Amino acid sequence: MPKLNVEQIRKDFPILSREVKPNVPLVYLDSTATAQKPLSVIEAMNSYYRLSNANIHRGVHTLAEEATALYENARDRIAKFINAKSSKEIIYTRNATEAINLVAYSWGRANIKQGDVIVLTEMEHHSNLVPWQMLAAEKNAKIEIIPVTDDGELDLTVYESILKLSPKIICVTQMSNVLGTINPIQQMAAKAHAVGAMMMVDGAQSVPHFAVDVQTLGADFLAFSAHKMCGPTGIGILWSRQQVLEAMPPFLGGGDMIKRVYLREFKANDLPHKFEAGTPAIAEAIGFGAAVDYLTAVGMDFIHDYEREIIAYAIERLEEVPGIKIYGPKAERKGGIAAFSFGGVHPHDVAQILDSDGVAVRAGHHCAMPLHDRFKLPATTRASFYLYNTKSEVDKLIEGLYKVKKMFG
Amino acid sequence: MDDMYREVILDHYKNPRNKGTLDPADFSFEDDNPLCGDRIRIDVRVGEDNKVKEVAFSGQGCAISQASASMLTEHIIGKSLDEVKQLSKDDILELLGIELGPVRLKCALLSLKVLKAGVYGIKDED
Ligand SMILES: Cc1ncc(COP(=O)(O)O)c(C=O)c1O
């Protein structure tokens, strides 16, 4: 079996050979925020603008045909990437956030009534909290929370008792963008479905890092963003089953989402166009297609195995540094993310000093304020890893942390 | 950007001047920078001459926000309230002696924001 060849992979990403300042190469440990892009993605978008740029659908000229084919072919490949039954189940959105908002507006406003229970978790990204809080406030619905244990896992005993309240929807991330926790979606979905609840899964961190198959996942809705999986910003996906999407009212109104418009009413278009109003992000969709091609060619299982190796090494080395406390489950139970505190040193200072050696990490609450409240932290420093990171980059991180220690110790 | 952590900044961070609270104070204000969780409170006592007599700051945050608060408190003792109102971003940067990007600038300016809100008599919501 060919293992992942990281040196070869690094050559595919032009940005990885840049220096942050003279003689200081980039060590990019912030892929959880956004991943770098391989040349094939950049070239696919470039080539669309150089050769095929036209608005899609309805045009009959050559460029419009080409652009439409490129845009729709990308959708087909994304459908295949998550094993959707049909491309009709793949709705292009701006990002994972918009995909979740689409569900909260369209499905939510049609199905949530006063007093209904919406279940969220303490480890959600703000994008899987706020749209539901807005819906709950509007409908006078109740929010129940699955808490996070000290080990950084969902407290499934509390989940069991919440299910007795007959909730309407469970909104949960497949992988935490802070703790790296990979949640047991299949098991949670089976229980949710047994009480008639829908399952909204935030796949922003899972879909980029391991194979996600919607036929076995158990989700009713899955949201993810291209930019976290080697694709461009400005495009994401909402997946749901055709039957569910057909029953949902349209979201944004305008061109492309209609079959027929009269002066006082309209007929909505068929899936997936019903949810895609206006001129979409065409180049970005094409870039997204190239990104899933790239990840498929490398192999999602290889990527996952490789990241497990890197995170195990990173955690082992981080634990050597006195004063570091890593949040979340043990290495073997999580994805390639290490969020940590460092004694009394503020994450901003940690990140700033690391930056002077070219090491890019993130400092802050990572759009998960309630989770930081849970651990009584204003912020953490987060290093995250992807297919192009190496163990020697982990070593650079550790060297930088010793420098921080020296400066602030 | 190692010079961001100049000796004098680290010194103010590790040995903050005027750290604590004043009770009672003539005015107090507290605010945070939600981006990074920095939080600063400033208490001020004003003398008969309408000049800052005593000042104390408390809170937590990164070296830049804490050092700039410490330097700012030292800087304003003996200054009139009108002079305090005139303080600007450039004064803080001059005290710190460094250049800052847009993200860290927010950290550096938090104490000034808090102080000004206090001087202008904006009510502390908390
Ligand atoms: C777990 C999780 N959910 C949702 C999002 C939102 O992604 P986007 O900003 O691309 O919509 C992120 C990105 O930070 C994330 O990590």
Side-chain angles (χ1 to χ4, degrees):
Chain A
M1 282 286 242
K3 282 188 78 169
L4 185 144
N5 180 345
V6 69
E7 284 316 318
Q8 202 56 44
I9 281 173
R10 289 181 68 82
K11 293 193 186 122
D12 297 333
F13 292 79
I15 208 169
L16 296 180
S17 55
R18 81 158 268 186
E19 294 178 337
V20 172
K21 55 191 179 191
N23 297 317
V24 179
L26 170 67
V27 176
Y28 188 74
L29 304 183
D30 195 19
S31 297
T32 289
T34 198
Q36 297 302 348
K37 325 301 176 199
L39 191 60
S40 61
V41 168
I42 300 167
E43 286 302 328
M45 295 173 70
N46 229 323
S47 149
Y48 160 73
Y49 280 126
R50 295 172 74 110
L51 297 170
S52 313
N53 177 54
N55 211 332
I56 51 164
H57 302 141
R58 293 175 312 281
V60 291
H61 59 77
T62 305
L63 296 191
E65 292 278 17
E66 275 181 26
T68 306
L70 288 165
Y71 178 79
E72 292 301 337
N73 282 342
R75 192 195 309 267
D76 297 342
R77 276 133 59 212
I78 297 162
K80 226 171 122 196
F81 187 71
I82 58 166
N83 198 25
K85 283 222 167 91
S86 143
S87 299
K88 290 182 184 159
E89 299 183 340
I90 300 293
I91 313 293
Y92 283 128
T93 61
R94 256 189 326 135
N95 44 37
T97 302
E98 189 178 277
I100 296 168
N101 275 277
L102 194 166
V103 179
Y105 276 87
S106 168
W107 182 89
R109 274 149 185 84
N111 290 279
I112 296 292
K113 295 181 299 295
Q114 180 169 0
D116 282 351
V117 174
I118 298 170
V119 181
L120 310 174
T121 92
E122 208 172 15
M123 67 166 75
E124 292 315 300
H125 187 279
H126 297 163
S127 63
N128 205 21
L129 291 174
V130 180
W132 303 108
Q133 293 167 350
M134 289 162 73
L135 175 68
E138 188 182 313
K139 296 286 184 174
N140 245 322
K142 291 202 203 91
I143 290 177
E144 294 289 338
I145 304 286
I146 308 172
V148 169
T149 65
D150 290 341
D151 298 333
E153 314 245 8
L154 290 179
D155 188 334
L156 296 178
T157 345
V158 177
Y159 177 52
E160 301 268 349
S161 54
I162 291 174
L163 287 175
K164 299 201 178 91
L165 305 172
S166 299
K168 285 280 162 23
I169 188 164
I170 319 294
C171 308
V172 56
T173 186
Q174 192 173 6
M175 177 162 130
S176 160
N177 66 317
V178 178
L179 305 169
T181 318
I182 299 171
N183 290 318
I185 299 298
Q186 233 174 345
Q187 178 195 337
M188 291 176 76
K191 290 186 171 149
H193 292 150
V195 300
M198 297 289 272
M199 192 80 182
M200 164 88 238
V201 175
D202 175 355
Q205 294 302 340
S206 55
V207 176
H209 297 281
F210 50 89
V212 172
D213 178 339
V214 291
Q215 301 312 322
T216 54
L217 180 64
D220 298 294
F221 300 107
L222 178 71
F224 52 101
S225 283
H227 71 93
K228 295 188 198 281
M229 47 194 292
C230 301
T233 54
I235 190 130
I237 298 293
L238 172 67
W239 168 86
S240 182
R241 277 186 310 280
Q242 189 169 343
Q243 200 187 349
V244 176
L245 291 168
E246 264 163 8
M248 281 161 55
F251 174 41
L252 301 175
D256 244 26
M257 54 74 70
I258 47 83
K259 194 173 266 171
R260 185 78 173 86
V261 176
Y262 308 91
L263 275 177
R264 288 185 171 75
E265 57 182 359
F266 71 96
K267 267 210 173 73
N269 205 342
D270 296 330
L271 290 173
H273 312 292
K274 168 177 155 187
F275 293 107
E276 295 175 3
T279 300
I282 303 169
E284 286 75 5
I286 293 164
F288 198 174
V292 300
D293 291 347
Y294 183 82
L295 293 174
T296 305
V298 176
M300 290 307 290
D301 290 340
F302 289 137
I303 293 173
H304 187 47
D305 288 347
Y306 182 71
E307 284 177 18
R308 292 179 79 101
E309 206 178 304
I310 286 274
I311 189 68
Y313 180 69
I315 288 189
E316 185 190 316
R317 297 251 24 219
L318 281 166
E319 281 175 343
E320 277 168 24
V321 184
I324 295 267
K325 178 169 167 42
I326 306 163
Y327 295 88
K330 296 261 170 294
E332 60 275 14
R333 295 183 58 84
K334 70 174 183 172
I337 299 174
F340 57 87
S341 58
F342 195 1
V345 189
H346 194 284
H348 267 174
D349 296 319
V350 177
Q352 193 89 56
I353 291 162
L354 291 174
D355 179 64
S356 60
D357 290 329
V359 180
V361 297
R362 198 146 280 257
H365 52 61
H366 320 299
C367 292
M369 280 184 164
L371 181 65
H372 281 78
D373 290 343
R374 154 72 180 81
F375 287 100
K376 299 196 167 52
L377 295 162
T380 49
T381 307
R382 180 183 73 188
S384 56
F385 305 93
Y386 208 5
L387 73 166
Y388 39 65
N389 290 119
T390 64
K391 287 188 180 168
S392 72
E393 290 182 309
V394 174
D395 295 338
K396 285 243 183 73
L397 166 70
I398 302 297
E399 272 168 44
L401 290 173
Y402 276 111
K403 199 166 149 188
V404 173
K405 189 151 190 63
K406 209 166 130 208
M407 206 175 264
F408 284 89
Chain B
M1 264 194 233
D2 283 351
D3 58 336
M4 188 174 288
Y5 297 96
R6 300 191 310 137
E7 210 49 50
V8 49
I9 291 181
L10 284 176
D11 177 49
H12 272 271
Y13 175 62
K14 290 178 186 167
N15 312 296
R17 326 292 199 260
N18 308 310
K19 183 110 193 215
T21 51
L22 297 176
D23 189 20
D26 292 312
F27 62 83
S28 304
F29 198 75
E30 183 169 342
D31 202 358
D32 58 13
N33 174 353
L35 274 178
C36 49
D38 290 356
R39 185 160 194 91
I40 282 179
R41 173 188 179 87
I42 295 182
D43 300 319
V44 177
R45 280 185 191 151
V46 183
E48 307 268 293
D49 53 1
N50 219 24
K51 288 187 171 152
V52 175
K53 197 168 80 186
E54 278 177 276
V55 54
F57 84 97
S58 51
Q60 49 166 337
C62 65
I64 303 298
S65 79
Q66 299 296 298
S68 86
S70 168
M71 288 171 166
L72 179 65
T73 56
E74 261 193 336
H75 184 70
I76 62 167
I77 290 177
K79 288 218 166 25
S80 73
L81 294 188
D82 277 338
E83 284 172 307
V84 169
K85 285 180 184 171
Q86 301 299 323
L87 289 173
S88 71
K89 165 181 137 187
D90 292 338
D91 296 311
I92 300 291
L93 289 181
E94 202 170 302
L95 287 174
L96 288 167
I98 51 176
E99 283 181 25
L100 290 171
V103 177
R104 299 312 298 277
L105 197 57
K106 287 211 174 72
C107 307
L109 297 182
L110 178 61
S111 51
L112 181 63
K113 188 176 147 199
V114 168
L115 177 66
K116 283 208 172 173
V119 178
Y120 281 102
I122 296 165
K123 281 275 168 291
D124 190 345
E125 289 160 28
D126 290 15

